[in-house]
Amino acid sequence: MSLCFAILVTGQPYSDQSSKTALQFCKAIIEREHRIYRVFFFNDGVHCANKFITPPQDEKSIPSQWQAFQQEHELDLVVCVSSALRRGVIDQKEAERYNVSGHNMASGFNIGGLGQWVDACMHADRVIRFGN
């Protein structure tokens, strides 16, 4: 039986293991032929969408890993707009809206609201949270 998952990521990519563990869990879901309805990045989890995060050369870029996974599996990666704006993560549309001179949201991620998280919870068989 195939299950559908909604994933919530709330931890920073390099402050704790939650975003990396979430990514590994998502890969395991796909390998077992289950579905991911949506991955929602909330609170500090929005940093996973910051294309300017550059780890040391001996570490893999977690945002880049999420991007590659999204492209390979055409996942819906949604970043909470309120959390993102508070933490300086912004897409081109929001940058124009707030008259900000640049944007730093990585491709493959989309800005959204909590309504999209509620929608994901309603459509999923399982809801899993990674982070505090």
Side-chain angles (χ1 to χ4, degrees), residues 6 37-38 40 42 76 78-82 111-123:
Y37 185 81
R38 179 172 293 133
F40 194 82
F42 186 65
D76 188 17
V78 177
V79 176
C80 176
V81 64
S82 298
I111 284 283
L114 287 175
Q116 287 178 282
W117 175 240
V118 171
D119 174 68
C121 292
M122 290 174 54
H123 285 90

Side-chain angles (χ1 to χ4, degrees), residues 6 12 28 38 45 48 50 53-54 62 74 83 89 91 94 108 116:
Q12 283 193 32
R38 179 172 293 133
C48 291
N50 185 342
I53 289 181
T54 307
I62 293 172
E74 298 179 10
S83 294
V89 178
D91 69 352
E94 294 298 313
Q116 287 178 282

Side-chain angles (χ1 to χ4, degrees), residues 7-127:
I7 306 296
L8 180 65
V9 180
T10 62
Q12 283 193 32
Y14 297 100
S15 296
D16 62 38
Q17 290 292 314
S18 60
S19 58
K20 187 175 181 180
T21 303
L23 180 59
Q24 292 169 339
F25 184 80
C26 287
K27 289 178 179 180
I29 289 171
I30 298 296
E31 286 174 10
R32 286 164 180 79
E33 298 182 1
H34 297 296
R35 293 184 314 111
I36 298 171
Y37 185 81
R38 179 172 293 133
V39 180
F40 194 82
F41 298 87
F42 186 65
N43 289 338
D44 287 337
V46 302
H47 291 292
C48 291
N50 185 342
K51 70 180 178 183
F52 293 148
I53 289 181
T54 307
Q57 291 180 352
D58 62 338
E59 293 181 25
K60 291 184 178 180
S61 169
I62 293 172
S64 295
Q65 290 178 62
W66 275 110
Q67 283 181 283
F69 189 64
Q70 185 279 330
Q71 289 172 354
E72 182 178 351
H73 299 287
E74 298 179 10
L75 296 177
D76 188 17
L77 303 182
V78 177
V79 176
C80 176
V81 64
S82 298
S83 294
L85 292 174
R86 284 187 194 109
R87 289 162 178 81
V89 178
I90 191 166
D91 69 352
Q92 185 174 357
K93 183 179 173 184
E94 294 298 313
E96 291 169 4
R97 179 178 174 194
Y98 290 102
N99 199 26
V100 175
S101 62
H103 56 91
N104 61 342
M105 184 164 293
S107 63
F109 292 88
N110 300 298
I111 284 283
L114 287 175
Q116 287 178 282
W117 175 240
V118 171
D119 174 68
C121 292
M122 290 174 54
H123 285 90
D125 299 308
R126 302 286 188 270
V127 175

